[in-house]
Amino acid sequence: MKDFMKDVKTIAVLGLSPDKSKASHIVAKYLQESGFKIIPIYPKEDIILNEKVFRALEDVNEKIDLLVLFRKGEVASEIFDTVLKKGIKRFWLQLGIKNEAVKAKCLENNIAFVQDKCIMQELKAIK
């Protein structure tokens, strides 16, 4: 985990809900409070956690060190080409989310990949 997170500064969170009771909001807030810059990606809202919200991954112009997905596993397949195009080197599917085809593509393209784990729990475990 320490190697995976080495040099990570900016984390895009796809599916970051404005609802404070949702896991995506709780986890993103934790990441933000742990010193990471978060980039919310959500189809509605303009600001979440005091950050500008982007409607789609394609709309983000900043360098993304890590993409965390809070959507169904199929979405990972839908956005994989954008992950490649943007040069994102770390892709995380949150707890309960899996996509074996994308895992294989990540391995082929030298993208670090985690699935079915909670990034907040994993970070807390190494502190």
Side-chain angles (χ1 to χ4, degrees):
M1 184 66 187
K2 284 182 181 175
D3 284 345
F4 186 91
M5 294 302 291
K6 187 179 180 210
D7 301 325
V8 171
K9 294 177 178 66
T10 303
I11 301 174
V13 183
L14 202 156
L16 173 44
S17 174
D19 182 339
K20 293 177 182 177
S21 70
K22 299 277 187 188
S24 63
H25 192 94
I26 294 164
V27 170
K29 186 173 188 220
Y30 173 81
L31 294 171
Q32 195 177 49
E33 290 171 348
S34 296
F36 298 102
K37 174 173 176 30
I38 60 156
I39 299 173
I41 302 172
Y42 191 73
K44 301 174 238 158
E45 305 297 318
D46 293 321
I47 303 288
I48 300 175
L49 292 170
N50 297 314
E51 296 288 346
K52 178 183 187 238
V53 176
F54 293 87
R55 301 289 174 247
L57 181 59
E58 295 86 357
D59 299 337
V60 180
N61 294 320
E62 294 180 59
K63 180 182 182 283
I64 298 169
D65 299 315
L66 166 61
L67 174 61
V68 178
L69 181 71
F70 276 92
R71 302 275 315 282
K72 292 182 179 166
E74 306 87 72
V75 173
S77 296
E78 295 167 13
I79 64 168
F80 185 77
D81 288 343
T82 305
V83 169
L84 271 181
K85 189 172 91 177
K86 291 199 164 287
I88 299 169
K89 293 296 179 192
R90 295 171 191 88
F91 195 0
W92 189 293
L93 307 188
Q94 253 315 101
L95 190 63
I97 305 168
K98 294 181 183 178
N99 188 316
E100 292 299 324
V102 168
K103 178 181 179 180
K105 287 181 181 180
C106 283
L107 292 173
E108 290 169 14
N109 289 280
N110 201 28
I111 297 170
F113 182 82
V114 173
Q115 65 181 351
D116 196 22
K117 289 188 185 282
C118 176
I119 190 167
M120 182 173 77
Q121 292 173 350
E122 297 297 317
L123 286 172
K124 283 182 176 181
I126 62 169
K127 281 193 171 183

